[in-house]
Amino acid sequence: MNSPAHFDELDLFVWEGKADILDRIARCMASFDVEVTRADGLPPPQQERGAAMRPAVAIISVTVIDSGGLAHATEFLQGMPVIWVAAGSRERDSRTYPPEYLHVLPYDFTCAELRTLVAKLVRQLRARDIAPQAPDVLVAHSEAMKALLAEVGAFADCNHPVLVRGETGVGKERIAQQLHLGHGSYSKGAFVAVNCGAIPDGLFESLFFGHTKGSFTGAVHAHRGYFEQATGGTLFLDEIGDLPRYQQVKLLRVLEDNAVTRLGATSPIRVDFRLVAATNRNLREMVASGEFRADLFYRLAVIELHVPSLEERGEVDKIAIFKALLGNVLGDELETLGETPHWLSDAVAETYFPGNVRQLRNLAERVGVIARQLRGWDQNLIQRAIALTRGTPAPAISADRNGGGGSGGGGGVALDSNGDRKGWNSSERNRIIAALEINDWKRQDTAQHLGISRKVLWEKMRKYQILDGEPGIPEDA
């Protein structure tokens, strides 16, 4: 028999369909810390399973295919390894199973066969997730990013909570990982990342506090919640502003008491973790409006860090990040393709990315696919990809595949229901024109007035065709 250590805090989700395997699996695992749950009727989880969560294995009877339940199972799996159990009356050819599911047990499997296969998959899961991996080196050429990383280095090795603020997609979790890895003692523990906006209703207590065996129907074994999982490490609460008020007070109590009580238990359990929270919302405004508890805010924001947007970081960081992401996509093929063309770097520098690094990664993947498939930097197709990223109409592809460009010929102008050009925001256009007039049509001064970069201003002026029909713009503006 395999060592019980293989089954320490393990979840088995079972889809038995028309078969009768759930009870047999539960009996085979009864002597171990394994929670066996019938998943046929469970709603799919809304949160990805992270490395610090309990390992989980799915066991599915092939009769689920015939009963039409496979779509539900596929939605539920979220990357779990799957064991197929063959039908009792007819040994189904494994070639008819979905190709990603490779592990099959006979219908009359023995406990030894089940335990051996489950132990093998759990070993693979734990080998993959044995420790949080250090994130890639962060690009920091800009003064804003250098200042942030200096703060991260200064505050990493302290025990106080940290609130990380920044727009969507700027890399707040990466900063949280840097704080975790820089701590002298907590870095040896787990990094438990939780998206507060994805907690299913009614499951907050079970997910965060854990539960005891028999505390509710289906609780076959005890389960550690996020607070316990993070003990000795870091608990990262992303999108903390999305946490409902009734959950905020429960989080605050744990932070005050450093203890949790599992569902169904009476004795508290001590917890000790470093808390890092992140948000793209203005928590101070939420406190003022009553959406967020003031006492929790002051508990979270002992240290506040602001992650700059791509626009705040500037062109040099934009280009450096893009090239790094492109290198991740292309790998060794990048050497064959040669240096990234200047026109591509310039286009990236001039583009405004409201989705920040996440959106820039999407563009790098688009460009990487084009370059790999066409074995070169096809300027027309890449420019179209950039135009789509900007949200502007893609230029027509000319017959010249080397980037000669097309005529850009006429055609009608599409209007929306208000008579404006589609994709235009008339109020923004008027605001830009007003700012240009106030600043004598000097772009640098206008950009500062609007709180955007000169490149972004130029993009918006092109988008709204402000250059045509408006007062002349000095050549040296």
Side-chain angles (χ1 to χ4, degrees):
M1 180 185 296
N2 293 287
S3 166
H6 294 313
F7 307 121
D8 180 30
E9 294 194 338
L10 168 68
D11 287 323
L12 292 182
F13 292 101
V14 181
W15 286 262
E16 62 177 359
K18 300 175 184 177
D20 182 19
I21 58 174
L22 181 69
D23 290 340
R24 285 198 287 145
I25 292 170
R27 287 196 298 270
C28 287
M29 296 296 182
S31 58
F32 304 114
D33 184 12
V34 177
E35 185 164 344
V36 181
T37 304
R38 176 167 182 161
D40 297 69
L42 290 181
Q46 298 180 29
Q47 178 170 322
E48 295 181 2
R49 301 188 65 85
M53 297 181 69
R54 288 164 62 103
V57 175
I59 302 178
I60 306 178
S61 166
V62 296
T63 60
V64 171
I65 298 175
D66 298 329
S67 63
L70 186 58
H72 170 268
T74 302
E75 187 179 6
F76 189 100
L77 293 174
Q78 305 242 0
M80 282 183 262
V82 176
I83 297 172
W84 284 91
V85 177
S89 58
R90 45 190 169 86
E91 292 292 321
R92 185 182 287 266
D93 186 344
S94 62
R95 289 174 296 180
T96 65
Y97 306 157
E100 64 270 27
Y101 303 152
L102 307 176
H103 312 289
V104 182
L105 284 174
Y107 176 75
D108 57 350
F109 61 84
T110 65
C111 288
E113 289 175 320
L114 174 66
R115 292 167 181 162
T116 298
L117 187 49
V118 170
K120 172 186 174 183
L121 296 178
V122 171
R123 283 196 300 270
Q124 292 174 356
L125 285 173
R126 288 187 168 136
R128 183 187 68 190
D129 299 330
I130 191 168
Q133 299 297 311
D136 298 333
V137 176
L138 292 171
V139 172
H141 299 298
S142 65
E143 291 303 318
M145 200 62 186
K146 287 179 181 177
L148 170 64
L149 293 186
E151 288 185 274
V152 170
F155 297 122
D157 198 21
C158 70
N159 300 339
H160 298 290
V162 179
L163 179 63
V164 182
R165 298 179 291 103
E167 297 177 7
T168 297
V170 292
K172 297 186 288 293
E173 184 168 352
R174 295 285 300 278
I175 296 302
Q177 289 173 330
Q178 294 285 347
L179 289 166
H180 169 70
L181 294 169
H183 196 285
S185 58
Y186 288 138
S187 62
K188 299 179 177 64
F191 179 83
V192 180
V194 182
N195 186 338
C196 295
I199 303 299
D201 290 339
L203 294 183
F204 175 84
E205 286 79 6
S206 177
L207 291 174
F208 276 85
F209 291 83
H211 59 255
T212 61
K213 179 180 179 180
S215 57
F216 54 86
T217 302
V220 181
H221 292 280
H223 169 65
R224 291 192 310 160
Y226 296 139
F227 295 128
E228 285 188 70
Q229 292 175 32
T231 291
T234 299
L235 178 62
F236 174 59
L237 298 181
D238 197 10
E239 305 301 346
I240 188 69
D242 293 340
L243 203 65
R245 279 186 64 91
Y246 81 92
Q247 296 175 1
Q248 294 172 23
V249 68
K250 295 179 180 181
L251 171 61
L252 179 63
R253 175 56 61 90
V254 173
L255 298 181
E256 296 288 350
D257 297 345
N258 294 317
V260 298
T261 303
R262 294 181 180 180
L263 291 179
T266 56
S267 300
I269 299 171
R270 299 292 299 175
V271 292
D272 176 26
F273 52 81
R274 168 80 172 285
L275 179 66
V276 180
T279 183
N280 62 359
R281 306 175 68 180
N282 189 324
L283 292 189
R284 284 184 170 80
E285 290 183 356
M286 293 180 67
V287 168
S289 66
E291 296 177 76
F292 201 86
R293 294 182 61 95
D295 46 6
L296 177 58
F297 171 75
Y298 295 123
R299 197 74 174 80
L300 296 174
V302 177
I303 300 167
E304 288 190 67
L305 300 177
H306 170 71
V307 185
S309 67
L310 276 182
E311 287 305 307
E312 293 174 287
R313 295 175 67 171
E315 298 176 6
V316 175
D317 272 12
K318 270 189 193 178
I319 295 171
I321 296 170
F322 176 77
K323 288 183 176 180
L325 295 171
L326 191 60
N328 291 340
V329 174
L330 292 171
D332 294 338
E333 296 176 69
L334 189 58
E335 293 186 12
T336 305
L337 291 167
E339 184 67 25
T340 307
H342 290 298
W343 57 262
L344 176 54
S345 297
D346 291 342
V348 169
E350 294 170 4
T351 300
Y352 169 53
F353 295 94
N356 292 290
V357 178
R358 188 177 293 121
Q359 186 178 358
L360 186 62
R361 178 182 292 108
N362 174 268
L363 177 61
E365 290 172 351
R366 287 174 182 248
V367 172
V369 170
I370 293 170
R372 175 186 292 121
Q373 296 303 115
L374 300 182
R375 296 180 176 84
W377 307 106
D378 187 296
Q379 188 168 358
N380 266 321
L381 285 179
I382 291 175
Q383 285 177 334
R384 285 176 64 83
I386 295 172
L388 289 171
T389 298
R390 290 172 175 165
T392 56
I397 294 183
S398 69
D400 179 5
R401 300 288 292 178
N402 294 319
S407 63
V413 175
L415 303 178
D416 62 18
S417 59
N418 298 318
D420 297 327
R421 292 174 184 264
K422 286 190 176 179
W424 277 25
N425 182 330
S426 294
S427 61
E428 183 180 47
R429 183 177 190 272
N430 294 335
R431 188 167 65 252
I432 292 172
I433 293 173
L436 284 163
E437 291 175 345
I438 291 171
N439 292 282
D440 297 324
W441 291 82
K442 294 181 180 178
R443 295 179 199 162
Q444 185 63 44
D445 293 344
T446 301
Q448 292 178 354
H449 178 91
L450 293 170
I452 59 179
S453 71
R454 192 172 185 273
K455 295 288 186 182
V456 172
L457 174 62
W458 170 242
E459 285 295 320
K460 291 182 179 294
M461 291 174 68
R462 276 203 315 187
K463 174 182 177 181
Y464 295 130
Q465 298 182 12
I466 294 176
L467 297 179
D468 298 325
E470 306 295 342
I473 299 178
E475 290 297 320
D476 59 347

